[in-house]
Amino acid sequence: MERIEEITTEELQKKLEEGEKLELVDVREDEEVASGMIPGARHIRMGTIPENLDKFDKDTEYIIICRSGNRSGNVCHYLQDQGYKVRNMTGGMLNWQGETK
């Protein structure tokens, strides 16, 4: 299995604060995102990723987010196998110290 690129919550927060344009995809369930998402993230539940592949572009890198980093890791493996560029946010929203909306 190919290694998945990772980004820490601190690295992501710094990039966002510097105004970097990033594609964030939150794969948590509806009730989880109700408690807050990283501003600018798109919500596509993990179970619906296969039917939403048309929302992804193979020339764009996506940062995948979940609660702890496990589900997003699985989504990263799936998307990478489909030919997409992905990075897993390690530690997930449990580690996120930045703002949420």
Side-chain angles (χ1 to χ4, degrees):
M1 202 181 297
E2 254 188 89
R3 200 179 149 293
I4 297 293
E5 291 290 321
E6 295 182 336
I7 186 167
T8 65
T9 52
E10 293 82 11
E11 289 168 328
L12 178 56
Q13 191 169 351
K14 188 170 187 291
K15 285 177 178 287
L16 291 172
E17 285 167 0
E18 290 168 353
E20 208 171 311
K21 176 82 180 86
L22 302 167
E23 289 294 326
L24 309 177
V25 179
D26 192 320
V27 299
R28 295 177 297 157
E29 295 299 318
D30 295 341
E31 61 275 7
E32 293 176 290
V33 298
S35 64
M37 283 173 49
I38 297 172
R42 280 191 298 167
H43 180 220
I44 304 174
R45 290 188 334 275
M46 177 178 173
T48 66
I49 292 286
E51 68 219 44
N52 281 293
L53 287 179
D54 60 335
K55 295 192 169 108
F56 294 88
D57 176 353
K58 292 196 175 174
D59 295 326
T60 303
E61 181 182 74
Y62 297 91
I63 296 171
I64 311 298
I65 300 161
C66 73
R67 189 181 70 88
S68 67
N70 289 332
R71 281 177 288 176
S72 54
N74 290 335
V75 170
C76 283
H77 281 290
Y78 173 77
L79 287 172
Q80 188 166 281
D81 287 348
Q82 306 302 312
Y84 295 94
K85 297 180 205 151
V86 291
R87 198 176 273 223
N88 188 20
M89 186 177 91
T90 57
M93 291 302 285
L94 291 175
N95 278 5
W96 180 252
Q97 300 297 312
E99 70 172 300
T100 57
K101 65 170 179 65

XYZ file of all heavy atoms in Angstrom:
811
model
N 0.845 -1.190 0.000
C 0.000 0.000 0.000
C 0.889 1.252 0.000
O 1.833 1.339 0.768
C -0.890 -0.016 1.248
C -2.111 0.844 1.066
S -3.200 0.910 2.504
C -3.741 -0.761 2.695
N 0.559 2.176 -0.884
C 1.352 3.388 -0.968
C 1.154 4.263 0.259
O 0.072 4.319 0.820
C 0.941 4.187 -2.211
C 1.964 4.111 -3.313
C 1.599 5.064 -4.432
O 2.023 6.221 -4.354
O 0.879 4.630 -5.338
N 2.215 4.947 0.636
C 2.163 5.819 1.794
C 1.301 7.049 1.488
O 1.357 7.596 0.400
C 3.602 6.269 2.115
C 3.755 6.766 3.527
C 5.211 7.178 3.794
N 5.291 8.250 4.749
C 4.855 9.492 4.558
N 4.288 9.832 3.448
N 4.972 10.403 5.491
N 0.522 7.460 2.464
C -0.329 8.646 2.323
C 0.425 9.846 2.888
O 0.972 9.777 3.986
C -1.660 8.442 3.098
C -2.463 7.278 2.514
C -2.482 9.726 3.137
C -3.009 7.493 1.126
N 0.442 10.946 2.132
C 1.032 12.190 2.635
C 0.178 12.671 3.804
O -1.038 12.487 3.814
C 1.025 13.260 1.542
C 1.964 12.980 0.394
C 3.429 13.102 0.791
O 3.770 14.012 1.564
O 4.224 12.267 0.332
N 0.826 13.306 4.779
C 0.093 13.797 5.944
C 0.382 15.279 6.156
O 1.386 15.793 5.674
C 0.518 13.020 7.195
C 0.145 11.554 7.125
C 0.509 10.782 8.383
O 1.428 11.212 9.109
O -0.136 9.756 8.626
N -0.524 15.919 6.856
C -0.322 17.300 7.278
C -0.822 17.380 8.716
O -1.856 16.782 9.047
C -1.058 18.303 6.361
C -0.703 19.741 6.741
C -2.565 18.073 6.341
C -1.121 20.783 5.706
N -0.070 18.050 9.578
C -0.524 18.180 10.966
C -1.537 19.316 11.050
O -1.612 20.170 10.158
C 0.652 18.491 11.925
O 1.170 19.788 11.587
C 1.750 17.438 11.819
N -2.288 19.336 12.139
C -3.265 20.414 12.330
C -2.541 21.756 12.412
O -3.028 22.760 11.912
C -4.113 20.167 13.598
O -3.250 19.924 14.703
C -5.027 18.972 13.411
N -1.344 21.767 13.027
C -0.573 23.011 13.151
C -0.124 23.515 11.779
O -0.212 24.707 11.485
C 0.664 22.813 14.048
C 0.353 22.534 15.507
C 0.021 21.068 15.797
O 0.217 20.188 14.914
O -0.468 20.797 16.915
N 0.367 22.603 10.931
C 0.806 22.988 9.580
C -0.366 23.541 8.780
O -0.236 24.550 8.083
C 1.398 21.781 8.833
C 2.741 21.320 9.347
C 3.155 19.959 8.777
O 2.286 19.107 8.493
O 4.363 19.774 8.602
N -1.521 22.871 8.894
C -2.700 23.313 8.162
C -3.146 24.689 8.637
O -3.432 25.577 7.829
C -3.839 22.303 8.312
C -5.155 22.687 7.615
C -4.945 22.947 6.127
C -6.203 21.620 7.832
N -3.171 24.881 9.940
C -3.603 26.166 10.488
C -2.690 27.295 9.989
O -3.161 28.358 9.594
C -3.593 26.104 12.018
C -4.285 27.298 12.649
C -4.518 27.110 14.139
O -4.319 26.023 14.677
N -4.936 28.168 14.784
N -1.368 27.043 9.965
C -0.406 28.050 9.503
C -0.659 28.389 8.033
O -0.681 29.557 7.649
C 1.020 27.514 9.703
C 2.118 28.511 9.442
C 3.462 27.939 9.906
C 4.568 28.958 9.836
N 4.955 29.325 8.479
N -0.879 27.376 7.198
C -1.145 27.608 5.769
C -2.411 28.443 5.583
O -2.443 29.364 4.767
C -1.293 26.275 5.022
C 0.026 25.550 4.787
C -0.240 24.207 4.118
C 1.025 23.446 3.805
N 1.765 24.012 2.678
N -3.459 28.136 6.343
C -4.712 28.884 6.234
C -4.518 30.325 6.701
O -5.026 31.253 6.075
C -5.827 28.194 7.033
C -6.301 26.853 6.481
C -7.250 26.171 7.456
C -6.966 27.025 5.119
N -3.762 30.511 7.795
C -3.509 31.862 8.301
C -2.709 32.685 7.297
O -2.849 33.899 7.230
C -2.770 31.804 9.647
C -3.687 31.404 10.793
C -2.942 31.029 12.062
O -1.687 31.074 12.081
O -3.619 30.683 13.055
N -1.864 32.006 6.510
C -1.063 32.701 5.497
C -1.863 32.935 4.220
O -1.337 33.455 3.241
C 0.206 31.899 5.187
C 1.193 31.898 6.340
C 2.323 30.895 6.183
O 2.303 30.079 5.236
O 3.235 30.924 7.036
N -3.126 32.515 4.228
C -4.007 32.765 3.092
C -3.861 31.785 1.941
O -4.331 32.041 0.834
N -3.207 30.647 2.208
C -3.038 29.646 1.150
C -4.402 29.066 0.772
O -5.238 28.806 1.625
C -2.101 28.541 1.649
C -1.347 27.867 0.528
C -0.257 26.931 1.036
O 0.545 27.330 1.903
O -0.232 25.802 0.543
N -4.629 28.893 -0.528
C -5.901 28.338 -1.022
C -5.776 26.819 -0.997
O -4.973 26.246 -1.720
C -6.149 28.856 -2.447
C -7.385 28.290 -3.105
C -8.638 29.027 -2.668
C -9.881 28.455 -3.324
N -10.486 27.329 -2.630
N -6.542 26.180 -0.134
C -6.473 24.732 0.030
C -7.852 24.122 -0.173
O -8.863 24.757 0.110
C -5.970 24.390 1.438
C -4.601 24.956 1.817
C -4.371 24.807 3.307
C -3.510 24.249 1.041
N -7.855 22.890 -0.644
C -9.112 22.150 -0.799
C -9.256 21.209 0.385
O -8.529 20.220 0.494
C -9.113 21.363 -2.111
C -9.242 22.237 -3.348
C -10.592 22.944 -3.439
O -11.616 22.370 -3.005
O -10.609 24.073 -3.951
N -10.168 21.538 1.290
C -10.392 20.734 2.496
C -11.702 19.970 2.341
O -12.714 20.546 1.952
C -10.488 21.643 3.723
C -9.362 22.666 3.914
C -9.652 23.535 5.121
C -8.029 21.973 4.056
N -11.656 18.678 2.671
C -12.862 17.856 2.602
C -13.046 17.161 3.949
O -12.188 16.397 4.396
C -12.775 16.802 1.466
C -14.034 15.941 1.440
C -12.560 17.487 0.116
N -14.159 17.463 4.611
C -14.487 16.885 5.912
C -15.395 15.681 5.656
O -16.469 15.823 5.078
C -15.204 17.940 6.763
C -15.321 17.546 8.216
O -15.583 16.360 8.497
O -15.155 18.429 9.087
N -14.938 14.480 6.061
C -15.683 13.247 5.765
C -16.471 12.713 6.964
O -16.965 11.596 6.946
C -14.743 12.142 5.206
C -14.087 12.604 3.914
C -13.670 11.737 6.227
N -16.627 13.555 8.004
C -17.382 13.110 9.184
C -18.873 13.051 8.875
O -19.341 13.534 7.857
C -17.124 14.068 10.350
C -15.676 14.044 10.814
C -15.426 15.053 11.919
N -15.652 16.412 11.424
C -15.945 17.454 12.189
N -16.059 17.305 13.493
N -16.135 18.659 11.666
N -19.614 12.458 9.804
C -21.070 12.352 9.666
C -21.722 13.713 9.951
O -21.114 14.580 10.564
C -21.614 11.291 10.632
C -21.135 9.878 10.327
C -21.565 9.395 8.946
O -22.721 9.635 8.549
O -20.729 8.783 8.252
N -22.970 13.858 9.519
C -23.697 15.121 9.670
C -23.698 15.637 11.110
O -23.454 16.821 11.348
C -25.155 14.968 9.202
C -25.247 14.672 7.713
O -24.272 14.936 6.979
O -26.302 14.178 7.277
N -23.989 14.737 12.070
C -24.073 15.187 13.465
C -22.705 15.630 13.993
O -22.615 16.441 14.902
C -24.707 14.120 14.369
C -23.978 12.792 14.446
C -24.331 11.812 13.315
O -25.054 12.175 12.372
O -23.863 10.669 13.404
N -21.621 15.104 13.425
C -20.279 15.512 13.858
C -19.930 16.910 13.336
O -19.389 17.722 14.066
C -19.227 14.511 13.374
C -19.335 13.148 14.031
C -18.337 12.170 13.449
O -18.518 11.760 12.278
O -17.377 11.843 14.152
N -20.250 17.169 12.086
C -19.910 18.487 11.540
C -20.795 19.579 12.116
O -20.438 20.752 12.086
C -19.940 18.534 9.989
C -18.913 17.588 9.398
C -21.305 18.267 9.446
N -21.932 19.198 12.686
C -22.823 20.183 13.303
C -22.104 20.915 14.439
O -22.413 22.069 14.728
C -24.087 19.501 13.818
N -21.105 20.268 15.040
C -20.375 20.914 16.140
C -19.244 21.808 15.635
O -18.537 22.403 16.424
C -19.822 19.859 17.103
O -18.876 19.050 16.429
N -19.090 21.903 14.320
C -18.111 22.829 13.763
C -17.176 22.194 12.761
O -16.739 21.056 12.931
N -16.919 22.957 11.691
C -15.981 22.535 10.649
C -14.942 23.631 10.463
O -15.177 24.782 10.804
C -16.720 22.362 9.302
C -17.511 21.095 9.195
S -18.532 21.014 7.683
C -17.425 21.457 6.378
N -13.812 23.270 9.884
C -12.808 24.269 9.540
C -13.405 25.146 8.437
O -13.937 24.618 7.452
C -11.511 23.585 9.059
C -10.916 22.739 10.192
C -10.501 24.625 8.566
C -9.748 21.860 9.771
N -13.360 26.477 8.589
C -13.937 27.351 7.563
C -13.351 27.041 6.180
O -12.150 26.861 6.038
C -13.528 28.759 8.029
C -13.353 28.618 9.505
C -12.805 27.225 9.708
N -14.231 26.940 5.198
C -13.794 26.661 3.836
C -13.815 25.192 3.468
O -13.671 24.834 2.303
N -13.991 24.317 4.460
C -14.021 22.872 4.177
C -15.358 22.503 3.541
O -16.386 23.095 3.848
C -13.809 22.072 5.451
N -15.310 21.516 2.647
C -16.535 20.959 2.072
C -16.870 19.702 2.842
O -15.984 18.942 3.211
C -16.311 20.575 0.602
C -16.376 21.755 -0.323
C -16.430 21.296 -1.753
N -15.218 20.549 -2.079
C -15.079 19.819 -3.171
N -16.051 19.701 -4.029
N -13.951 19.184 -3.412
N -18.158 19.463 3.060
C -18.590 18.268 3.791
C -19.074 17.218 2.797
O -20.064 17.427 2.096
C -19.712 18.651 4.770
C -20.212 17.486 5.549
N -21.542 17.291 5.825
C -19.566 16.432 6.099
C -21.681 16.176 6.520
N -20.499 15.633 6.696
N -18.330 16.116 2.707
C -18.762 14.961 1.910
C -18.561 13.740 2.817
O -17.430 13.371 3.105
C -17.933 14.804 0.612
C -17.982 16.088 -0.233
C -18.450 13.601 -0.191
C -17.071 16.066 -1.453
N -19.653 13.178 3.315
C -19.540 12.049 4.256
C -18.739 10.907 3.652
O -18.828 10.625 2.460
C -20.935 11.562 4.664
C -21.682 12.532 5.545
C -22.983 11.984 6.118
N -23.624 10.935 5.342
C -24.460 11.154 4.316
N -24.748 12.381 3.929
N -25.002 10.138 3.684
N -17.972 10.229 4.506
C -17.114 9.131 4.067
C -17.874 8.129 3.201
O -17.400 7.723 2.146
C -16.514 8.420 5.279
C -15.663 7.221 4.923
S -14.954 6.490 6.422
C -14.219 5.021 5.741
N -19.052 7.730 3.633
C -19.818 6.719 2.915
C -20.303 7.154 1.540
O -20.726 6.329 0.738
N -20.259 8.470 1.267
C -20.753 8.963 -0.023
C -19.613 9.385 -0.958
O -19.878 9.873 -2.051
C -21.712 10.160 0.168
O -20.982 11.269 0.701
C -22.872 9.804 1.102
N -18.364 9.171 -0.544
C -17.217 9.572 -1.388
C -17.280 8.903 -2.775
O -17.153 9.605 -3.776
C -15.868 9.285 -0.676
C -15.687 10.208 0.535
C -14.694 9.394 -1.644
C -15.353 11.652 0.266
N -17.502 7.565 -2.875
C -17.488 6.939 -4.214
C -18.470 7.576 -5.197
O -18.137 7.760 -6.366
C -17.843 5.478 -3.934
C -17.370 5.256 -2.533
C -17.641 6.568 -1.816
N -19.658 7.954 -4.720
C -20.644 8.541 -5.637
C -20.403 10.037 -5.867
O -21.101 10.658 -6.669
C -22.075 8.290 -5.152
C -22.433 9.020 -3.877
C -23.285 8.204 -2.911
O -22.990 7.016 -2.706
O -24.232 8.789 -2.367
N -19.427 10.616 -5.164
C -19.124 12.038 -5.322
C -17.773 12.286 -5.994
O -17.238 13.397 -5.913
C -19.152 12.739 -3.957
C -20.571 13.035 -3.515
O -21.263 13.839 -4.115
N -21.008 12.351 -2.472
N -17.220 11.283 -6.650
C -15.902 11.455 -7.292
C -15.911 12.575 -8.330
O -14.872 13.189 -8.585
C -15.430 10.139 -7.924
C -14.978 9.059 -6.933
C -14.550 7.813 -7.678
C -13.852 9.562 -6.026
N -17.087 12.879 -8.892
C -17.161 13.967 -9.869
C -16.904 15.338 -9.234
O -16.680 16.317 -9.944
C -18.527 13.966 -10.577
C -19.697 14.140 -9.615
O -19.560 13.805 -8.420
O -20.758 14.621 -10.064
N -16.895 15.407 -7.903
C -16.614 16.671 -7.207
C -15.115 16.868 -6.982
O -14.693 17.872 -6.419
C -17.353 16.708 -5.874
C -18.859 16.721 -6.041
C -19.557 17.055 -4.745
C -21.026 17.331 -4.980
N -21.904 16.293 -4.507
N -14.312 15.882 -7.389
C -12.856 15.945 -7.211
C -12.179 16.117 -8.565
O -12.683 15.654 -9.576
C -12.347 14.664 -6.534
C -12.827 14.498 -5.112
C -14.026 13.859 -4.845
C -12.078 14.980 -4.055
C -14.480 13.707 -3.543
C -12.526 14.833 -2.749
C -13.720 14.200 -2.492
N -11.024 16.777 -8.547
C -10.239 17.022 -9.755
C -8.870 16.382 -9.540
O -8.240 16.604 -8.505
C -10.122 18.541 -9.941
C -9.249 18.945 -11.105
O -8.607 18.070 -11.718
O -9.196 20.149 -11.397
N -8.416 15.596 -10.505
C -7.143 14.876 -10.336
C -5.923 15.791 -10.335
O -4.845 15.365 -9.962
C -7.008 13.781 -11.391
C -8.026 12.672 -11.146
C -7.748 11.397 -11.880
C -8.762 10.347 -11.438
N -8.697 9.121 -12.174
N -6.100 17.050 -10.730
C -4.975 17.995 -10.723
C -4.893 18.795 -9.426
O -4.020 19.633 -9.254
C -5.088 18.972 -11.906
C -4.950 18.241 -13.231
O -4.190 17.257 -13.298
O -5.625 18.650 -14.194
N -5.825 18.566 -8.524
C -5.900 19.328 -7.276
C -5.553 18.416 -6.106
O -5.930 17.254 -6.108
C -7.348 19.857 -7.095
O -7.678 20.640 -8.245
C -7.488 20.695 -5.845
N -4.836 18.968 -5.109
C -4.566 18.187 -3.898
C -5.650 18.482 -2.870
O -6.017 19.636 -2.671
C -3.200 18.540 -3.302
C -2.924 17.710 -2.051
C -1.609 18.041 -1.375
O -1.537 19.114 -0.743
O -0.679 17.248 -1.499
N -6.159 17.429 -2.249
C -7.204 17.557 -1.236
C -6.665 17.159 0.129
O -5.942 16.178 0.248
C -8.407 16.665 -1.592
C -9.049 17.088 -2.876
C -8.636 16.541 -4.090
C -10.019 18.079 -2.888
C -9.196 16.973 -5.288
C -10.583 18.511 -4.084
C -10.166 17.951 -5.277
O -10.704 18.385 -6.458
N -7.044 17.927 1.143
C -6.705 17.586 2.523
C -7.983 16.998 3.123
O -9.035 17.651 3.137
C -6.214 18.816 3.300
C -4.907 19.308 2.670
C -6.035 18.473 4.788
C -4.407 20.628 3.197
N -7.889 15.737 3.565
C -9.054 15.009 4.062
C -9.057 15.057 5.589
O -8.035 14.804 6.232
C -9.053 13.548 3.549
C -8.808 13.490 2.023
C -10.354 12.848 3.935
C -9.856 14.163 1.164
N -10.232 15.362 6.152
C -10.379 15.613 7.588
C -11.476 14.735 8.167
O -12.540 14.576 7.556
C -10.770 17.102 7.805
C -9.687 18.022 7.228
C -11.038 17.400 9.280
C -10.163 19.436 6.988
N -11.223 14.172 9.365
C -12.290 13.498 10.115
C -12.106 13.828 11.592
O -11.436 14.797 11.939
C -12.310 11.994 9.846
S -10.962 11.087 10.616
N -12.666 13.034 12.475
C -12.598 13.323 13.903
C -11.199 13.084 14.460
O -10.661 13.906 15.178
C -13.623 12.468 14.669
C -13.775 12.857 16.131
C -14.768 11.965 16.832
N -14.251 10.619 16.996
C -13.528 10.208 18.035
N -13.254 11.028 19.022
N -13.091 8.971 18.093
N -10.588 11.917 14.120
C -9.304 11.565 14.726
C -8.193 11.293 13.713
O -7.040 11.157 14.099
C -9.477 10.327 15.606
O -9.788 9.212 14.784
N -8.539 11.177 12.439
C -7.528 10.885 11.422
C -7.614 9.477 10.855
O -6.942 9.163 9.882
N -8.450 8.604 11.460
C -8.565 7.226 10.964
C -9.429 7.114 9.719
O -9.001 6.570 8.710
C -9.120 6.305 12.062
C -8.112 6.082 13.166
O -6.911 6.147 12.941
N -8.600 5.844 14.369
N -10.659 7.633 9.796
C -11.546 7.561 8.625
C -10.950 8.339 7.454
O -11.003 7.888 6.314
C -12.936 8.117 8.952
C -13.791 7.125 9.699
C -15.111 7.729 10.076
N -14.886 8.712 11.144
C -15.824 9.481 11.667
N -17.063 9.430 11.202
N -15.567 10.305 12.640
N -10.379 9.511 7.744
C -9.797 10.301 6.659
C -8.626 9.548 6.029
O -8.415 9.627 4.820
C -9.363 11.686 7.158
O -8.505 11.590 8.273
N -7.904 8.778 6.821
C -6.823 7.956 6.278
C -7.358 6.920 5.299
O -6.790 6.709 4.226
N -8.488 6.290 5.660
C -9.117 5.310 4.761
C -9.578 5.979 3.469
O -9.399 5.434 2.378
C -10.318 4.637 5.446
C -9.892 3.699 6.559
O -8.774 3.179 6.547
N -10.760 3.496 7.518
N -10.176 7.165 3.591
C -10.636 7.903 2.412
C -9.433 8.275 1.542
O -9.491 8.173 0.316
C -11.448 9.154 2.825
C -11.724 10.049 1.618
C -12.758 8.742 3.496
N -8.333 8.671 2.168
C -7.116 9.013 1.419
C -6.635 7.822 0.599
O -6.294 7.974 -0.579
C -6.009 9.469 2.361
S -6.208 11.161 2.958
N -6.601 6.633 1.215
C -6.167 5.439 0.478
C -7.085 5.185 -0.713
O -6.621 4.914 -1.818
C -6.129 4.206 1.393
C -4.913 4.164 2.264
N -3.655 3.929 1.770
C -4.772 4.346 3.596
C -2.783 3.966 2.763
N -3.430 4.220 3.879
N -8.382 5.306 -0.497
C -9.349 5.077 -1.569
C -9.140 6.082 -2.707
O -9.034 5.706 -3.877
C -10.789 5.166 -1.026
C -11.821 5.095 -2.115
C -12.154 3.882 -2.703
C -12.439 6.253 -2.584
C -13.089 3.812 -3.732
C -13.371 6.198 -3.614
C -13.685 4.973 -4.184
O -14.599 4.921 -5.202
N -9.078 7.369 -2.358
C -8.938 8.405 -3.392
C -7.597 8.289 -4.111
O -7.525 8.457 -5.328
C -9.100 9.804 -2.774
C -10.524 10.176 -2.366
C -10.533 11.488 -1.596
C -11.440 10.267 -3.573
N -6.548 7.983 -3.355
C -5.221 7.841 -3.977
C -5.247 6.676 -4.977
O -4.697 6.781 -6.069
C -4.165 7.626 -2.897
C -2.743 7.665 -3.423
C -1.735 7.781 -2.296
O -1.509 8.853 -1.758
N -1.136 6.670 -1.913
N -5.912 5.592 -4.606
C -6.047 4.446 -5.520
C -6.811 4.823 -6.789
O -6.609 4.216 -7.838
C -6.770 3.273 -4.834
C -5.897 2.570 -3.796
O -4.679 2.826 -3.763
O -6.458 1.780 -3.018
N -7.697 5.825 -6.696
C -8.467 6.285 -7.857
C -7.667 7.309 -8.680
O -8.159 7.791 -9.695
C -9.782 6.952 -7.416
C -10.655 6.112 -6.519
C -11.059 4.793 -7.141
O -11.497 4.743 -8.275
N -10.898 3.715 -6.397
N -6.466 7.661 -8.196
C -5.620 8.589 -8.955
C -5.670 10.032 -8.492
O -5.200 10.932 -9.191
N -6.228 10.286 -7.298
C -6.311 11.654 -6.777
C -5.145 11.961 -5.846
O -4.591 11.058 -5.228
C -7.640 11.862 -6.035
C -8.830 11.758 -6.956
C -9.496 10.544 -7.110
C -9.261 12.855 -7.682
C -10.580 10.431 -7.977
C -10.345 12.744 -8.556
C -10.990 11.537 -8.689
O -12.062 11.419 -9.541
N -4.807 13.258 -5.744
C -3.748 13.709 -4.833
C -4.405 14.062 -3.512
O -5.292 14.928 -3.463
C -3.056 14.963 -5.383
C -2.337 14.750 -6.686
C -1.701 16.067 -7.112
C -1.529 16.082 -8.615
N -1.577 17.415 -9.176
N -3.972 13.391 -2.451
C -4.602 13.609 -1.147
C -3.558 13.711 -0.045
O -2.428 13.256 -0.188
C -5.585 12.467 -0.790
C -6.806 12.498 -1.672
C -4.898 11.114 -0.873
N -3.979 14.308 1.048
C -3.159 14.421 2.239
C -4.093 14.248 3.428
O -5.195 14.789 3.422
C -2.540 15.820 2.247
C -1.357 15.980 3.152
C -0.821 17.377 2.971
N 0.111 17.384 1.860
C 1.267 18.028 1.903
N 1.585 18.721 2.966
N 2.076 17.998 0.884
N -3.684 13.484 4.410
C -4.504 13.225 5.595
C -4.133 14.208 6.700
O -2.962 14.377 7.011
C -4.283 11.783 6.075
C -5.235 11.388 7.180
O -6.280 11.988 7.369
N -4.867 10.352 7.916
N -5.147 14.864 7.301
C -4.885 15.726 8.453
C -4.784 14.826 9.680
O -5.779 14.269 10.139
C -5.987 16.765 8.644
C -5.664 17.752 9.753
S -6.897 19.055 9.948
C -7.990 18.284 11.155
N -3.558 14.660 10.181
C -3.328 13.760 11.312
C -3.945 14.327 12.590
O -3.929 15.527 12.820
C -1.821 13.526 11.531
O -1.181 14.784 11.717
C -1.196 12.814 10.345
N -4.512 13.430 13.381
C -5.120 13.844 14.644
C -6.540 14.339 14.495
O -7.263 14.448 15.471
N -6.939 14.654 13.275
C -8.309 15.072 13.013
C -8.763 16.277 13.818
O -7.958 17.033 14.363
N -10.074 16.440 13.885
C -10.661 17.591 14.573
C -10.409 17.551 16.079
O -10.473 18.577 16.739
C -12.169 17.679 14.291
C -12.487 18.045 12.848
S -11.774 19.618 12.281
C -12.859 20.794 13.107
N -10.062 16.380 16.612
C -9.716 16.302 18.037
C -8.475 17.152 18.332
O -8.330 17.685 19.429
C -9.465 14.847 18.457
C -10.673 13.926 18.475
C -10.241 12.503 18.786
C -11.704 14.404 19.486
N -7.572 17.268 17.353
C -6.341 18.046 17.526
C -6.462 19.478 17.038
O -5.567 20.271 17.251
C -5.174 17.393 16.775
C -4.538 16.263 17.535
O -5.012 15.888 18.597
N -3.483 15.711 16.984
N -7.534 19.806 16.317
C -7.655 21.117 15.681
C -7.841 22.209 16.731
O -8.751 22.152 17.534
C -8.845 21.115 14.711
C -9.035 22.428 14.021
C -10.027 23.326 14.253
C -8.212 22.996 12.984
N -9.880 24.406 13.413
C -8.775 24.231 12.641
C -7.057 22.564 12.327
C -8.223 25.060 11.662
C -6.506 23.383 11.369
C -7.079 24.602 11.034
N -6.946 23.201 16.708
C -7.004 24.312 17.660
C -7.530 25.596 17.019
O -7.777 26.570 17.699
C -5.598 24.591 18.237
C -4.984 23.418 18.984
C -5.784 23.021 20.208
O -6.154 23.873 21.009
N -6.069 21.741 20.334
N -7.645 25.596 15.694
C -8.061 26.804 14.980
C -9.555 27.031 15.082
O -10.279 26.343 15.784
N -10.007 28.047 14.323
C -11.432 28.378 14.376
C -12.254 27.335 13.626
O -11.768 26.617 12.769
C -11.663 29.780 13.827
C -11.455 29.934 12.351
C -11.897 31.297 11.845
O -13.098 31.626 11.997
O -11.059 32.020 11.301
N -13.538 27.272 14.013
C -14.493 26.421 13.311
C -15.718 27.272 13.034
O -15.924 28.309 13.660
C -14.900 25.191 14.162
O -15.435 25.633 15.389
C -13.725 24.257 14.389
N -16.511 26.820 12.078
C -17.759 27.558 11.799
C -18.937 26.604 11.875
O -18.787 25.416 11.825
C -17.674 28.262 10.454
C -17.582 27.311 9.254
C -17.756 28.091 7.980
C -17.646 27.242 6.752
N -18.608 26.225 6.506
